[in-house]
PDB file of all heavy atoms in Angstrom:
ATOM      1  N   TYR A  32       2.489  27.370   7.827  1.00 94.00           N
ATOM      2  CA  TYR A  32       2.335  26.825   6.423  1.00 94.00           C
ATOM      3  C   TYR A  32       1.127  27.414   5.741  1.00 94.00           C
ATOM      4  O   TYR A  32       0.105  27.872   6.249  1.00 94.00           O
ATOM      5  CB  TYR A  32       2.148  25.418   6.589  1.00 94.00           C
ATOM      6  CG  TYR A  32       3.429  24.493   6.907  1.00 94.00           C
ATOM      7  CD1 TYR A  32       4.421  25.090   7.582  1.00 94.00           C
ATOM      8  CD2 TYR A  32       3.556  23.316   6.387  1.00 94.00           C
ATOM      9  CE1 TYR A  32       5.533  24.333   7.883  1.00 94.00           C
ATOM     10  CE2 TYR A  32       4.655  22.524   6.675  1.00 94.00           C
ATOM     11  CZ  TYR A  32       5.757  23.073   7.303  1.00 94.00           C
ATOM     12  OH  TYR A  32       6.839  22.248   7.546  1.00 94.00           O
ATOM     13  N   THR A  33       1.208  27.303   4.367  1.00 97.00           N
ATOM     14  CA  THR A  33       0.017  27.448   3.519  1.00 97.00           C
ATOM     15  C   THR A  33      -0.659  26.065   3.540  1.00 97.00           C
ATOM     16  O   THR A  33      -0.018  25.045   3.320  1.00 97.00           O
ATOM     17  CB  THR A  33       0.356  27.928   2.150  1.00 97.00           C
ATOM     18  OG1 THR A  33       0.974  29.135   2.165  1.00 97.00           O
ATOM     19  CG2 THR A  33      -0.961  28.010   1.347  1.00 97.00           C
ATOM     20  N   MET A  34      -1.969  26.110   3.825  1.00 97.00           N
ATOM     21  CA  MET A  34      -2.735  24.774   3.798  1.00 97.00           C
ATOM     22  C   MET A  34      -3.975  24.848   2.967  1.00 97.00           C
ATOM     23  O   MET A  34      -4.527  26.008   2.724  1.00 97.00           O
ATOM     24  CB  MET A  34      -3.104  24.496   5.184  1.00 97.00           C
ATOM     25  CG  MET A  34      -1.882  24.183   6.047  1.00 97.00           C
ATOM     26  SD  MET A  34      -2.290  23.453   7.731  1.00 97.00           S
ATOM     27  CE  MET A  34      -2.801  21.772   7.146  1.00 97.00           C
ATOM     28  N   ALA A  35      -4.381  23.746   2.383  1.00 98.00           N
ATOM     29  CA  ALA A  35      -5.645  23.748   1.511  1.00 98.00           C
ATOM     30  C   ALA A  35      -6.279  22.454   1.521  1.00 98.00           C
ATOM     31  O   ALA A  35      -5.802  21.406   2.080  1.00 98.00           O
ATOM     32  CB  ALA A  35      -5.047  24.022   0.140  1.00 98.00           C
ATOM     33  N   TRP A  36      -7.484  22.437   1.002  1.00 98.00           N
ATOM     34  CA  TRP A  36      -8.289  21.356   0.744  1.00 98.00           C
ATOM     35  C   TRP A  36      -8.412  21.165  -0.810  1.00 98.00           C
ATOM     36  O   TRP A  36      -8.790  22.125  -1.525  1.00 98.00           O
ATOM     37  CB  TRP A  36      -9.689  21.467   1.388  1.00 98.00           C
ATOM     38  CG  TRP A  36      -9.725  21.319   2.795  1.00 98.00           C
ATOM     39  CD1 TRP A  36      -9.815  22.370   3.752  1.00 98.00           C
ATOM     40  CD2 TRP A  36      -9.737  20.158   3.664  1.00 98.00           C
ATOM     41  NE1 TRP A  36      -9.662  21.826   5.034  1.00 98.00           N
ATOM     42  CE2 TRP A  36      -9.739  20.531   4.954  1.00 98.00           C
ATOM     43  CE3 TRP A  36      -9.674  18.784   3.309  1.00 98.00           C
ATOM     44  CZ2 TRP A  36      -9.688  19.550   5.998  1.00 98.00           C
ATOM     45  CZ3 TRP A  36      -9.693  17.820   4.324  1.00 98.00           C
ATOM     46  CH2 TRP A  36      -9.710  18.174   5.715  1.00 98.00           C
ATOM     47  N   PHE A  37      -8.291  19.908  -1.217  1.00 98.00           N
ATOM     48  CA  PHE A  37      -8.480  19.557  -2.586  1.00 98.00           C
ATOM     49  C   PHE A  37      -9.452  18.464  -2.658  1.00 98.00           C
ATOM     50  O   PHE A  37      -9.777  17.695  -1.695  1.00 98.00           O
ATOM     51  CB  PHE A  37      -7.164  19.114  -3.256  1.00 98.00           C
ATOM     52  CG  PHE A  37      -6.118  20.189  -3.512  1.00 98.00           C
ATOM     53  CD1 PHE A  37      -5.401  20.788  -2.587  1.00 98.00           C
ATOM     54  CD2 PHE A  37      -5.981  20.613  -4.952  1.00 98.00           C
ATOM     55  CE1 PHE A  37      -4.538  21.698  -2.840  1.00 98.00           C
ATOM     56  CE2 PHE A  37      -5.073  21.619  -5.260  1.00 98.00           C
ATOM     57  CZ  PHE A  37      -4.406  22.224  -4.219  1.00 98.00           C
ATOM     58  N   ARG A  38     -10.100  18.214  -3.834  1.00 98.00           N
ATOM     59  CA  ARG A  38     -10.933  17.150  -4.012  1.00 98.00           C
ATOM     60  C   ARG A  38     -10.837  16.551  -5.445  1.00 98.00           C
ATOM     61  O   ARG A  38     -10.287  17.208  -6.346  1.00 98.00           O
ATOM     62  CB  ARG A  38     -12.433  17.556  -3.816  1.00 98.00           C
ATOM     63  CG  ARG A  38     -12.992  18.450  -4.929  1.00 98.00           C
ATOM     64  CD  ARG A  38     -14.327  18.889  -4.517  1.00 98.00           C
ATOM     65  NE  ARG A  38     -14.995  19.893  -5.507  1.00 98.00           N
ATOM     66  CZ  ARG A  38     -16.137  20.529  -5.387  1.00 98.00           C
ATOM     67  NH1 ARG A  38     -16.847  20.303  -4.259  1.00 98.00           N
ATOM     68  NH2 ARG A  38     -16.540  21.329  -6.164  1.00 98.00           N
ATOM     69  N   GLN A  39     -11.034  15.235  -5.429  1.00 98.00           N
ATOM     70  CA  GLN A  39     -10.971  14.512  -6.731  1.00 98.00           C
ATOM     71  C   GLN A  39     -12.079  13.624  -6.903  1.00 98.00           C
ATOM     72  O   GLN A  39     -12.260  12.578  -6.090  1.00 98.00           O
ATOM     73  CB  GLN A  39      -9.593  13.917  -6.849  1.00 98.00           C
ATOM     74  CG  GLN A  39      -9.257  13.307  -8.213  1.00 98.00           C
ATOM     75  CD  GLN A  39      -7.816  12.897  -8.373  1.00 98.00           C
ATOM     76  OE1 GLN A  39      -7.101  12.631  -7.434  1.00 98.00           O
ATOM     77  NE2 GLN A  39      -7.412  12.790  -9.601  1.00 98.00           N
ATOM     78  N   ALA A  40     -12.844  13.761  -7.998  1.00 96.00           N
ATOM     79  CA  ALA A  40     -13.848  12.874  -8.270  1.00 96.00           C
ATOM     80  C   ALA A  40     -13.456  11.806  -9.306  1.00 96.00           C
ATOM     81  O   ALA A  40     -12.420  12.174 -10.079  1.00 96.00           O
ATOM     82  CB  ALA A  40     -15.133  13.589  -8.821  1.00 96.00           C
ATOM     83  N   PRO A  41     -14.049  10.709  -9.394  1.00 91.00           N
ATOM     84  CA  PRO A  41     -13.602   9.692 -10.407  1.00 91.00           C
ATOM     85  C   PRO A  41     -13.529  10.248 -11.811  1.00 91.00           C
ATOM     86  O   PRO A  41     -14.482  10.849 -12.279  1.00 91.00           O
ATOM     87  CB  PRO A  41     -14.650   8.532 -10.178  1.00 91.00           C
ATOM     88  CG  PRO A  41     -15.157   8.703  -8.869  1.00 91.00           C
ATOM     89  CD  PRO A  41     -15.071  10.275  -8.567  1.00 91.00           C
ATOM     90  N   GLY A  42     -12.388   9.974 -12.449  1.00 94.00           N
ATOM     91  CA  GLY A  42     -12.234  10.408 -13.826  1.00 94.00           C
ATOM     92  C   GLY A  42     -11.927  11.879 -14.012  1.00 94.00           C
ATOM     93  O   GLY A  42     -11.870  12.301 -15.158  1.00 94.00           O
ATOM     94  N   LYS A  43     -11.678  12.635 -12.836  1.00 95.00           N
ATOM     95  CA  LYS A  43     -11.502  14.120 -13.028  1.00 95.00           C
ATOM     96  C   LYS A  43     -10.245  14.386 -12.284  1.00 95.00           C
ATOM     97  O   LYS A  43      -9.659  13.677 -11.598  1.00 95.00           O
ATOM     98  CB  LYS A  43     -12.722  14.791 -12.275  1.00 95.00           C
ATOM     99  CG  LYS A  43     -14.018  14.675 -12.988  1.00 95.00           C
ATOM    100  CD  LYS A  43     -14.991  15.676 -12.378  1.00 95.00           C
ATOM    101  CE  LYS A  43     -16.347  15.604 -13.161  1.00 95.00           C
ATOM    102  NZ  LYS A  43     -17.348  16.608 -12.598  1.00 95.00           N
ATOM    103  N   GLU A  44      -9.614  15.651 -12.699  1.00 95.00           N
ATOM    104  CA  GLU A  44      -8.442  16.032 -12.122  1.00 95.00           C
ATOM    105  C   GLU A  44      -8.695  16.593 -10.715  1.00 95.00           C
ATOM    106  O   GLU A  44      -9.824  16.872 -10.418  1.00 95.00           O
ATOM    107  CB  GLU A  44      -7.923  17.182 -13.022  1.00 95.00           C
ATOM    108  CG  GLU A  44      -7.396  16.787 -14.353  1.00 95.00           C
ATOM    109  CD  GLU A  44      -6.744  17.875 -14.995  1.00 95.00           C
ATOM    110  OE1 GLU A  44      -6.674  19.000 -14.596  1.00 95.00           O
ATOM    111  OE2 GLU A  44      -6.176  17.641 -16.159  1.00 95.00           O
ATOM    112  N   ARG A  45      -7.564  16.501  -9.927  1.00 96.00           N
ATOM    113  CA  ARG A  45      -7.707  16.997  -8.534  1.00 96.00           C
ATOM    114  C   ARG A  45      -7.916  18.620  -8.665  1.00 96.00           C
ATOM    115  O   ARG A  45      -7.235  19.246  -9.261  1.00 96.00           O
ATOM    116  CB  ARG A  45      -6.423  16.679  -7.766  1.00 96.00           C
ATOM    117  CG  ARG A  45      -6.487  16.982  -6.256  1.00 96.00           C
ATOM    118  CD  ARG A  45      -5.339  16.288  -5.612  1.00 96.00           C
ATOM    119  NE  ARG A  45      -5.396  14.882  -5.670  1.00 96.00           N
ATOM    120  CZ  ARG A  45      -4.687  14.109  -4.891  1.00 96.00           C
ATOM    121  NH1 ARG A  45      -3.798  14.562  -3.976  1.00 96.00           N
ATOM    122  NH2 ARG A  45      -4.880  12.724  -5.007  1.00 96.00           N
ATOM    123  N   GLU A  46      -8.816  18.973  -7.819  1.00 97.00           N
ATOM    124  CA  GLU A  46      -9.357  20.369  -7.859  1.00 97.00           C
ATOM    125  C   GLU A  46      -9.121  21.074  -6.512  1.00 97.00           C
ATOM    126  O   GLU A  46      -9.453  20.556  -5.459  1.00 97.00           O
ATOM    127  CB  GLU A  46     -10.854  20.451  -8.207  1.00 97.00           C
ATOM    128  CG  GLU A  46     -11.439  21.777  -8.041  1.00 97.00           C
ATOM    129  CD  GLU A  46     -12.993  21.767  -8.059  1.00 97.00           C
ATOM    130  OE1 GLU A  46     -13.572  20.637  -7.793  1.00 97.00           O
ATOM    131  OE2 GLU A  46     -13.619  22.811  -8.454  1.00 97.00           O
ATOM    132  N   GLY A  47      -8.519  22.285  -6.547  1.00 98.00           N
ATOM    133  CA  GLY A  47      -8.341  23.024  -5.299  1.00 98.00           C
ATOM    134  C   GLY A  47      -9.647  23.685  -4.926  1.00 98.00           C
ATOM    135  O   GLY A  47     -10.295  24.382  -5.623  1.00 98.00           O
ATOM    136  N   VAL A  48     -10.025  23.364  -3.705  1.00 98.00           N
ATOM    137  CA  VAL A  48     -11.329  23.864  -3.195  1.00 98.00           C
ATOM    138  C   VAL A  48     -11.156  25.080  -2.371  1.00 98.00           C
ATOM    139  O   VAL A  48     -11.999  26.019  -2.572  1.00 98.00           O
ATOM    140  CB  VAL A  48     -12.014  22.695  -2.302  1.00 98.00           C
ATOM    141  CG1 VAL A  48     -13.290  23.076  -1.647  1.00 98.00           C
ATOM    142  CG2 VAL A  48     -12.260  21.414  -3.142  1.00 98.00           C
ATOM    143  N   ALA A  49     -10.238  25.029  -1.444  1.00 98.00           N
ATOM    144  CA  ALA A  49     -10.095  26.217  -0.555  1.00 98.00           C
ATOM    145  C   ALA A  49      -8.689  26.167   0.052  1.00 98.00           C
ATOM    146  O   ALA A  49      -8.093  25.113   0.197  1.00 98.00           O
ATOM    147  CB  ALA A  49     -11.035  26.224   0.653  1.00 98.00           C
ATOM    148  N   SER A  50      -8.098  27.388   0.252  1.00 98.00           N
ATOM    149  CA  SER A  50      -6.741  27.478   0.865  1.00 98.00           C
ATOM    150  C   SER A  50      -6.791  28.538   1.921  1.00 98.00           C
ATOM    151  O   SER A  50      -7.520  29.525   1.879  1.00 98.00           O
ATOM    152  CB  SER A  50      -5.705  27.744  -0.182  1.00 98.00           C
ATOM    153  OG  SER A  50      -5.949  29.028  -0.800  1.00 98.00           O
ATOM    154  N   ILE A  51      -5.712  28.460   2.801  1.00 98.00           N
ATOM    155  CA  ILE A  51      -5.461  29.515   3.783  1.00 98.00           C
ATOM    156  C   ILE A  51      -4.014  29.535   3.968  1.00 98.00           C
ATOM    157  O   ILE A  51      -3.300  28.565   4.187  1.00 98.00           O
ATOM    158  CB  ILE A  51      -6.268  29.259   5.057  1.00 98.00           C
ATOM    159  CG1 ILE A  51      -5.997  30.355   6.075  1.00 98.00           C
ATOM    160  CG2 ILE A  51      -5.928  27.975   5.702  1.00 98.00           C
ATOM    161  CD1 ILE A  51      -6.898  30.303   7.296  1.00 98.00           C
ATOM    162  N   ASP A  52      -3.509  30.843   3.880  1.00 96.00           N
ATOM    163  CA  ASP A  52      -2.029  30.962   4.090  1.00 96.00           C
ATOM    164  C   ASP A  52      -1.765  31.343   5.483  1.00 96.00           C
ATOM    165  O   ASP A  52      -2.647  31.502   6.331  1.00 96.00           O
ATOM    166  CB  ASP A  52      -1.379  31.940   3.072  1.00 96.00           C
ATOM    167  CG  ASP A  52      -1.882  33.356   3.237  1.00 96.00           C
ATOM    168  OD1 ASP A  52      -2.471  33.609   4.321  1.00 96.00           O
ATOM    169  OD2 ASP A  52      -1.761  34.064   2.292  1.00 96.00           O
TER     170      ASP A  52
END
Side-chain angles (χ1 to χ4, degrees):
Y32 281 32
T33 298
M34 300 191 69
W36 288 98
F37 285 76
R38 66 186 180 187
Q39 188 167 20
K43 294 189 176 181
E44 292 187 355
R45 191 165 294 192
E46 172 192 23
V48 174
S50 68
I51 182 169
D52 65 20

